[in-house]
Amino acid sequence: MNKPNVDLSNHSNTGAINTDVLYLMHIHDSAFPIGSYTQSFGMETYIQSDQIRTKQDLLNYCHAYLFENLVYTDGIFVKEAYQLVEKDDWKQLIRLERICDASKNAVETREASRMMGKQFLQAILPVFEDEKLQTWKKYLDEGKIRGHFPIAYSIYTAQMKYDLYTTILTFLYSSTVSLVHNAVRAVPLGQKAGIEVIHQLIPKIAKAAEHVLDKSLQDLSNHAVGIEVASMQHRYLPSRLFIS
Amino acid sequence: MQALAKSSSLLKSDGKLELKFEKRRGKTRLIDCYQQPPLKASRGLYIDGTDHCTLYLMESSGGLVAGDHNEFTVHLKPGSNVTLMPQSATKVYPAFNDQPSSQQVTINLDEDARLEWNREEVIPFEDARFNSATSVQMTSSSSLLWAEILYPGREKRGETFAFRECHTHFEVWIDDDCLVYDALRLNPAEQMLKQLGVLEQFNYIANVWIVSPSMDENMDHNLGEILIQTDKHKSGITKLEGKGMLVRWISNDLPLLKKEVDRISTFIRKHYWK
């Protein structure tokens, strides 16, 4: 299995490497303001129709979300964007972002991804003065791009020199875990159930990240149609806890 | 080995259909038609007594057999108004020689042109491999209605998701801007298709894509009123950047599915494409 570059057990590594881990933890802190706690990406529709009621339901749902949605959609965008940032290929990166936007059929999911990306840029830029991220923000302000989160995230991680596997792994982790946190509040489930689900998901997240490494833009697929239809139906729910 | 390769390439069919339409003397006319078997087009029919031209698309071989490739190229010149109706569903036979069958549809819509493709149906049989790519290049004044149903196989024979792969790709470009980039890659052996969130208990997937300058704010609401939601049949509607709309279904009720696809198409024709 590919191992992240950062090796926490090796104390002879300088402090710089360990602070790298802290920076990564910081942007994935649930208090980091990208608004993932307001997005359910269609899950709330299933919660309200009582199709996600138990810990096991949630685990099954997150498992499918991870392997049949994220691996075939945002995971691929994260990977492709990371490689384009490394190649400094802005033209293709902008094209990739257009495809990312056009591939998200459900308007709520499309807007959620844009919103999270914009909020990520707004939060990170004042403290991380990076030229590429600033260029990306300029493109956003000029209307050349829509700001989708997977792309913005990869620009940041590539510039921070996290390796590709770590980038994909942490993206999948935060996307899945924020769903669990949201489900704990919305179903509702106990904190203990949430922790158990996350612990069971962690090895699966690592497996999913390996799947993403084998994929490219040609593998893009919206076959998690249930999630997409749930996301389309979400805006018609009589009461909602989440934006999407 | 070489002889085998040669004979299998001889057996492969390469259907082609190239259609060009133009508005002449107040009517949309088929001005250019190149057909290579097994693909064939009917004459232009004027069903509703207007300038609007309807054509049936025919496939004389009965289906795609391992490695077959069909190619459709359609060009609508400014102001032309066309409905293309595939005469029957595309049946994809088992890929015994491992070769995927494929279909490519390339559509060009000039200013104020309007195309309805109603409807594309694909039935991938057991062990079938199918790749389809549809690409639409249009302008901000042209209109498109594309309806499609993807079958899980010959369901009445108990054949559901027994195909090896079924990959479809659909993209729409308005001038230089990509509005739709939708891919479905179904590989039943590798995927958890029956899970909640994926295809669940449903066997059929259907889409109606509408891209048109004559959209309005309430269109999704109006279309939503046509749709019935049951345990065996559900759908969602979403807007595409104020330029289009997608209705997507997952269902186990094929008659209802066909009825709703027709209702949506009729509604669009009646209220938005007057």
Side-chain angles (χ1 to χ4, degrees):
Chain A
M1 190 171 84
N2 296 352
K3 223 173 157 246
N5 270 352
V6 183
D7 182 0
L8 283 172
S9 61
N10 187 350
H11 292 282
S12 67
N13 285 343
T14 55
I17 292 173
N18 287 322
T19 53
D20 281 351
V21 179
L22 296 182
Y23 283 121
L24 200 50
M25 284 172 69
H26 172 56
I27 60 161
H28 290 296
D29 191 313
S30 59
F32 195 79
I34 60 164
S36 54
Y37 68 95
T38 61
Q39 308 291 354
S40 89
F41 297 100
M43 180 181 67
E44 191 174 22
T45 308
Y46 286 115
I47 294 175
Q48 291 205 11
S49 63
D50 271 348
Q51 286 173 284
I52 302 176
R53 276 182 307 142
T54 65
K55 188 177 79 180
Q56 191 59 42
D57 294 341
L58 178 61
L59 181 65
N60 294 346
Y61 181 79
C62 288
H63 193 217
Y65 179 70
L66 181 60
F67 282 95
E68 305 304 339
N69 183 307
L70 287 177
V71 164
Y72 286 92
T73 58
D74 282 353
I76 293 175
F77 291 120
V78 165
K79 181 196 170 193
E80 296 276 316
Y82 183 96
Q83 291 170 335
L84 292 172
V85 176
E86 290 216 305
K87 278 195 254 170
D88 234 352
D89 192 342
W90 289 100
K91 207 175 149 215
Q92 287 300 317
L93 195 62
I94 291 171
R95 181 178 176 272
L96 181 74
E97 218 259 359
R98 282 303 305 147
I99 290 174
C100 176
D101 193 69
S103 71
K104 294 180 186 301
N105 293 320
V107 64
E108 286 197 347
T109 296
R110 185 164 65 237
E111 280 171 3
S113 171
R114 288 176 182 177
M115 206 185 296
M116 284 169 67
K118 279 182 206 163
Q119 287 173 341
F120 178 73
L121 287 173
Q122 266 163 20
I124 202 72
L125 271 172
V127 293
F128 181 66
E129 288 177 7
D130 176 73
E131 207 183 312
K132 286 190 183 174
L133 267 184
Q134 276 165 345
T135 307
W136 199 243
K137 176 72 165 59
K138 187 169 77 76
Y139 288 163
L140 177 64
D141 295 339
E142 291 166 358
K144 274 190 188 161
I145 57 153
R146 311 296 166 105
H148 284 277
F149 181 54
I151 319 279
Y153 182 74
S154 285
I155 300 175
Y156 173 78
T157 56
Q159 291 302 92
M160 283 291 287
K161 305 270 182 266
Y162 300 117
D163 63 37
L164 176 61
Y165 180 75
T166 306
T167 299
I168 298 167
L169 186 72
T170 49
F171 181 89
L172 298 181
Y173 171 82
S174 67
S175 306
T176 319
V177 165
S178 67
L179 266 198
V180 176
H181 287 316
N182 292 346
V184 164
R185 285 189 288 139
V187 174
L189 292 165
Q191 286 296 344
K192 192 166 160 274
I195 292 167
E196 282 169 14
V197 169
I198 291 171
H199 269 252
Q200 289 183 58
L201 282 171
I202 282 175
K204 296 187 164 92
I205 291 168
K207 191 99 201 136
E210 285 174 41
H211 285 320
V212 175
L213 282 177
D214 290 335
K215 299 217 177 314
S216 69
L217 202 55
Q218 278 145 6
D219 298 304
L220 211 60
S221 174
N222 282 332
H223 65 273
V225 186
I227 293 173
E228 199 174 73
V229 169
S231 181
M232 292 177 190
Q233 291 175 341
H234 182 261
R235 55 185 296 221
Y236 300 105
L237 295 177
S239 69
R240 283 160 291 178
L241 270 180
F242 303 100
I243 304 172
S244 70
Chain B
M1 191 66 206
Q2 215 175 3
L4 200 107
K6 202 178 165 196
S7 69
S8 77
S9 76
L10 276 177
L11 289 171
K12 259 192 229 174
S13 92
D14 236 345
K16 271 202 179 85
L17 193 56
E18 290 173 21
L19 306 170
K20 197 185 272 184
F21 296 88
E22 191 173 52
K23 197 163 177 180
R24 285 185 186 168
R25 300 186 305 280
K27 264 191 178 173
T28 298
R29 295 172 201 273
L30 177 63
I31 56 162
D32 213 349
C33 174
Y34 172 79
Q35 37 196 20
Q36 182 173 302
L39 297 184
K40 204 173 162 1
S42 73
R43 284 186 303 129
L45 308 167
Y46 298 89
I47 295 169
D48 52 9
T50 66
D51 68 318
H52 167 226
C53 179
T54 300
L55 245 87
Y56 284 91
L57 308 176
M58 294 171 286
E59 217 267 10
S60 59
S61 79
L64 293 163
V65 183
D68 287 353
H69 177 71
N70 279 344
E71 217 170 293
F72 298 84
T73 309
V74 179
H75 182 185
L76 269 64
K77 303 258 245 173
S80 49
N81 184 355
V82 176
T83 296
L84 297 177
M85 300 169 79
Q87 194 192 25
S88 65
T90 303
K91 290 161 282 289
V92 190
Y93 287 86
F96 287 133
N97 59 353
D98 253 11
Q99 300 263 333
S101 299
S102 54
Q103 174 175 296
Q104 168 84 45
V105 181
T106 309
I107 294 169
N108 256 290
L109 305 179
D110 291 350
E111 293 79 17
D112 302 309
R114 181 193 292 168
L115 175 70
E116 178 174 337
W117 187 297
N118 208 345
R119 56 188 182 260
E120 183 69 18
E121 295 186 33
V122 175
I123 311 177
F125 291 6
E126 187 174 5
D127 286 324
R129 295 181 69 189
F130 181 61
N131 287 309
S132 107
T134 303
S135 167
V136 183
Q137 176 68 55
M138 56 196 288
T139 72
S140 55
S141 65
S142 31
S143 300
L144 169 77
L145 187 151
W146 176 278
E148 62 192 348
I149 300 178
L150 178 62
Y151 288 57
R154 288 167 294 182
E155 199 205 2
K156 292 282 180 281
R157 308 176 66 157
E159 188 184 80
T160 57
F161 301 108
F163 55 83
R164 275 167 59 194
E165 64 181 42
C166 182
H167 299 170
T168 65
H169 180 95
F170 182 76
E171 60 182 72
V172 178
W173 291 77
I174 299 182
D175 301 321
D176 297 330
D177 198 22
C178 184
L179 181 70
V180 178
Y181 195 97
D182 184 57
L184 277 182
R185 296 178 72 84
L186 300 178
N187 302 298
E190 296 163 23
Q191 296 166 333
M192 301 178 280
L193 295 182
K194 292 284 154 195
Q195 283 282 336
L196 189 69
V198 193
L199 298 182
E200 304 168 9
Q201 76 272 33
F202 303 104
N203 287 330
Y204 294 85
I205 306 172
N207 302 312
V208 174
W209 299 91
I210 305 142
V211 183
S212 171
S214 61
M215 310 275 297
D216 68 41
E217 267 303 297
N218 298 324
M219 195 168 171
D220 54 341
H221 186 76
N222 294 338
L223 294 180
E225 288 187 342
I226 297 174
L227 301 171
I228 297 164
Q229 311 283 340
T230 73
D231 290 347
K232 286 165 70 184
H233 176 89
K234 68 178 177 181
S235 58
I237 300 181
T238 194
K239 285 184 185 174
L240 308 167
E241 299 297 284
K243 296 169 185 161
M245 186 90 55
L246 163 66
V247 187
R248 179 162 274 183
W249 291 260
I250 36 179
S251 176
N252 279 338
D253 190 338
L254 185 61
L256 178 60
L257 187 60
K258 286 184 175 177
K259 205 183 278 176
E260 289 200 338
V261 169
D262 287 343
R263 275 187 197 145
I264 294 281
S265 312
T266 308
F267 189 86
I268 295 293
R269 253 177 260 134
K270 199 168 159 195
H271 296 281
Y272 290 91
W273 286 5
K274 277 176 249 176

